[in-house]
Amino acid sequence: MDDLYSPYTALLYIFNLIIGTGALTLPKAFHEAGWLFSTVMITFIALVSYITATFVIEAMAICNALIQWEKLEKMKRVSRYLRLAAETVEESTDDDMSDTEDSLMLPAAYIDNYPSEPKRLFTLDIKCELSEMATTLFSRTGQFSFYLCICLYLYGDLTIYSAAIGKTLVDLSCTIKENVTDSDACWEGYSFTRRVMYQMYLSCFLLVFGPFVFFNVQKTKYLQFFTSVTRWLAFTLMISLAISRIVDPTKLHGSPALAVPSGLPALFGSCVYSFMCHHSLPGLITPMSDKSKLNTHLAIDYVSILLFYLTLSLTAVFAFPEPKDLYTLDFEPTGSKLSIVFGIFLTSFPVLTLTTSFPIIAVTLRSNIQAMFSFCEWWFLRALFVPLLTVIPPVLIAMTTENMETLVGVTGSYAGVIIQYIIPASLIIVGRKSIPEALSNQQLQYKSPFQSTVWPFLVMLWAFITVILVTFDIIHDNSVKSFHT
């Protein structure tokens, strides 16, 4: 009971979980897609994300019921076996009967007290992670596909983290200039280009933080506190400085378009990535002390997050002529002493937060890869090859590009769509069909408000349409670029 926390604490955890790196790429995406089109799109994506979050909660309750029902059925079978054994014992001698009855007395009594028809099986008392739900509900092929999708998403996460850290370190250390490119020298008089320094920083980052993947790194409450305070201070500063720039007539302001359909791929990927929380919901919801109004509280959380994203992005696109890939880089440490302090803090913000998250995500990815290849018992592969396979590819991919917009867009538009849309919809479709007939009359307290069988299929249809559109736009853009070059 000491590990339980209030619903408002859980909502704060979910809020902090969702508000992350994806938020820093939204201003650029809003600028390229148009502020009105982006506002409508992110509102719709927030609604779809909420729908699938309620699917995850209902699937958790169904898996809780299935796990407890399986235990109950096992206890019933044992009880029947013990009763048959006791009846057989009665036909034996008195001495044998007394010895056997003593051996059967306690378990039989325990089983008799086990409720034959528990009032509530659809609870959230047992923590069922997405992997456990997939194991409970999906076939072996479905389980392997699930782990593959999770791993692809986490690979994208680590690549985004690596690129953001390397890009930030370059902007912090290299000479500040207007319209700078990767081929420009990092410092005047030296032959090191910004691209070379970016790759060197990533190599050092891999050497320093890569070895953590070999250990079981866990978050501490002090680390969470530090990260949360840093995040809130940074976002508050960004919004405040953007508003002060908008009201300052001496500054050059942004004039974004209303709608630019060609900006859909980056916008969609950033929005999906920015609402990603489904893979961590079970661990945050299970310890809640009061879950009676869970869906309502979650809706309030989503509305708050949506308003926060709109405030951050709209102030950014009207404050800056063209926001950068990583919004923190727009606040260069120049001007007054206070502006320099704010600029250094905001520019270094991704490094302060992402370096603490990188080892944890890496360990999670390593565990999922090991689970996907659980049939392999070779010590060399599991203990050495899998950890190296976890951290080296994301850093190598990040070395080839520092385009945060592309990385977030691809991760959100493909792996993110599967994690946030396809998997929850599949879980709820299979889960509702897996409920035993004996439990069909029991109340499912944590069921999704979207009970119609049409909703999961609409979510899948939306996911399919968006992936097709994003893929088409990416191919089209690349074809146009190739034609011009």
Side-chain angles (χ1 to χ4, degrees):
M1 297 298 291
D2 294 337
D3 295 332
L4 298 180
Y5 44 70
S6 69
Y8 300 103
T9 302
L11 295 183
L12 180 61
Y13 285 163
I14 295 174
F15 193 100
N16 288 336
L17 172 69
I18 295 179
I19 304 293
T21 316
L24 301 179
T25 64
L26 282 176
K28 176 72 171 179
F30 265 59
H31 172 79
E32 294 197 346
W35 68 269
L36 183 58
F37 178 64
S38 300
T39 300
V40 175
M41 179 60 68
I42 196 174
T43 302
F44 181 74
I45 289 178
L47 173 61
V48 180
S49 180
Y50 171 73
I51 292 173
T52 53
T54 63
F55 286 169
V56 172
I57 294 172
E58 182 177 339
M60 285 173 58
I62 292 174
C63 287
N64 267 252
L66 293 177
I67 292 172
Q68 295 182 76
W69 180 254
E70 184 179 356
K71 290 180 180 179
L72 178 60
E73 290 296 299
K74 286 182 179 179
M75 297 298 282
K76 288 181 178 179
R77 288 195 294 269
V78 173
S79 178
R80 286 195 294 269
Y81 170 79
L82 291 176
R83 292 185 186 281
L84 289 174
E87 292 174 359
T88 304
V89 167
E90 290 179 358
E91 300 175 359
S92 63
T93 61
D94 292 341
D95 293 337
D96 293 338
M97 181 176 63
S98 59
D99 293 337
T100 310
E101 281 183 340
D102 289 339
S103 66
L104 299 178
M105 183 75 69
L106 288 176
Y110 172 76
I111 293 169
D112 287 340
N113 290 329
Y114 196 89
S116 58
E117 293 185 4
K119 293 182 178 180
R120 290 185 58 199
L121 286 180
F122 294 95
T123 67
L124 299 177
D125 298 333
I126 303 174
K127 185 175 73 171
C128 291
E129 300 288 358
L130 277 185
S131 57
E132 295 173 272
M133 287 189 268
T135 302
T136 303
L137 298 175
F138 291 162
S139 63
R140 188 173 297 275
T141 303
Q143 294 172 31
F144 185 85
S145 301
F146 166 82
Y147 281 115
L148 181 62
C149 295
I150 283 286
C151 290
L152 289 176
Y153 172 76
L154 294 177
Y155 267 126
D157 245 3
L158 294 181
T159 304
I160 292 169
Y161 285 10
S162 302
I165 291 170
K167 190 178 179 70
T168 301
L169 290 175
V170 168
D171 283 290
L172 277 173
S173 59
C174 293
T175 304
I176 299 175
K177 295 188 298 184
E178 293 292 335
N179 301 321
V180 67
T181 63
D182 294 341
S183 58
D184 291 336
C186 186
W187 304 285
E188 296 294 337
Y190 292 89
S191 59
F192 295 105
T193 64
R194 293 173 66 92
R195 164 62 63 177
V196 171
M197 292 305 302
Y198 172 76
Q199 294 173 342
M200 289 179 61
Y201 281 135
L202 283 181
S203 300
C204 294
F205 173 74
L206 178 62
L207 291 175
V208 173
F209 290 93
F212 282 99
V213 76
F214 290 94
F215 308 99
N216 289 322
V217 182
Q218 299 294 332
K219 285 185 179 180
T220 65
K221 62 180 181 180
Y222 303 107
L223 183 59
Q224 290 184 19
F225 177 78
F226 169 77
T227 304
S228 297
V229 170
T230 305
R231 180 188 292 115
W232 278 106
L233 181 59
F235 281 119
T236 303
L237 271 176
M238 284 186 278
I239 293 174
S240 301
L241 292 175
I243 293 175
S244 65
R245 183 185 176 95
I246 291 174
V247 299
D248 187 351
T250 63
K251 298 289 186 181
L252 186 61
H253 300 152
S255 55
L258 289 177
V260 183
S262 61
L264 174 64
L267 173 66
F268 179 74
S270 295
C271 291
V272 172
Y273 188 75
S274 298
F275 280 101
M276 183 64 68
C277 69
H278 301 63
H279 55 302
S280 300
L281 272 181
L284 296 177
I285 288 176
T286 303
M288 288 177 60
S289 57
D290 182 10
K291 308 180 184 74
S292 58
K293 299 180 179 178
L294 181 56
N295 287 326
T296 301
H297 287 152
L298 189 63
I300 295 173
D301 222 5
Y302 263 85
V303 171
S304 303
I305 293 166
L306 174 62
L307 293 176
F308 174 83
Y309 280 158
L310 289 175
T311 303
L312 178 72
S313 302
L314 293 177
T315 54
V317 296
F318 285 101
F320 296 94
E322 186 173 354
K324 295 182 179 179
D325 288 352
L326 211 60
Y327 185 42
T328 50
L329 301 180
D330 283 296
F331 302 92
E332 296 177 345
T334 56
S336 63
K337 292 183 178 180
L338 187 60
S339 298
I340 293 175
V341 172
F342 287 163
I344 293 175
F345 170 71
L346 291 177
T347 306
S348 60
F349 167 67
V351 177
L352 296 175
T353 57
L354 297 183
T355 49
T356 61
S357 301
F358 185 92
I360 299 167
I361 300 297
V363 170
T364 303
L365 174 58
R366 182 205 68 192
S367 301
N368 278 279
I369 295 177
Q370 290 174 339
M372 187 166 56
F373 295 101
S374 58
F375 56 86
C376 179
E377 298 180 357
W378 291 358
W379 176 88
F380 172 80
L381 290 178
R382 296 180 63 83
L384 183 62
F385 180 73
V386 169
L388 294 177
L389 184 65
T390 299
V391 294
I392 293 179
V395 178
L396 291 180
I397 295 173
M399 285 185 179
T400 63
T401 178
E402 58 182 82
N403 191 327
M404 291 293 298
E405 187 180 17
T406 300
L407 291 175
V408 173
V410 171
T411 301
S413 299
Y414 294 99
V417 162
I418 295 174
I419 302 299
Q420 192 170 159
Y421 298 156
I422 303 297
I423 289 179
S426 301
L427 285 174
I428 206 65
I429 291 173
V430 178
R432 288 172 179 173
K433 292 181 179 179
S434 302
I435 298 176
E437 186 177 353
L439 299 181
S440 58
N441 293 328
Q442 292 220 1
Q443 181 183 4
L444 209 171
Q445 182 180 357
Y446 303 104
K447 63 183 179 181
S448 169
F450 308 92
Q451 276 295 294
S452 172
T453 55
V454 175
W455 283 108
F457 293 102
L458 287 178
V459 169
M460 287 189 170
L461 179 62
W462 162 247
F464 177 76
I465 292 174
T466 52
V467 168
I468 295 297
L469 289 176
V470 168
T471 303
F472 174 80
D473 284 338
I474 291 175
I475 295 175
H476 178 265
D477 290 343
N478 290 334
S479 300
V480 172
K481 291 178 181 178
S482 300
F483 176 77
H484 288 296
T485 54

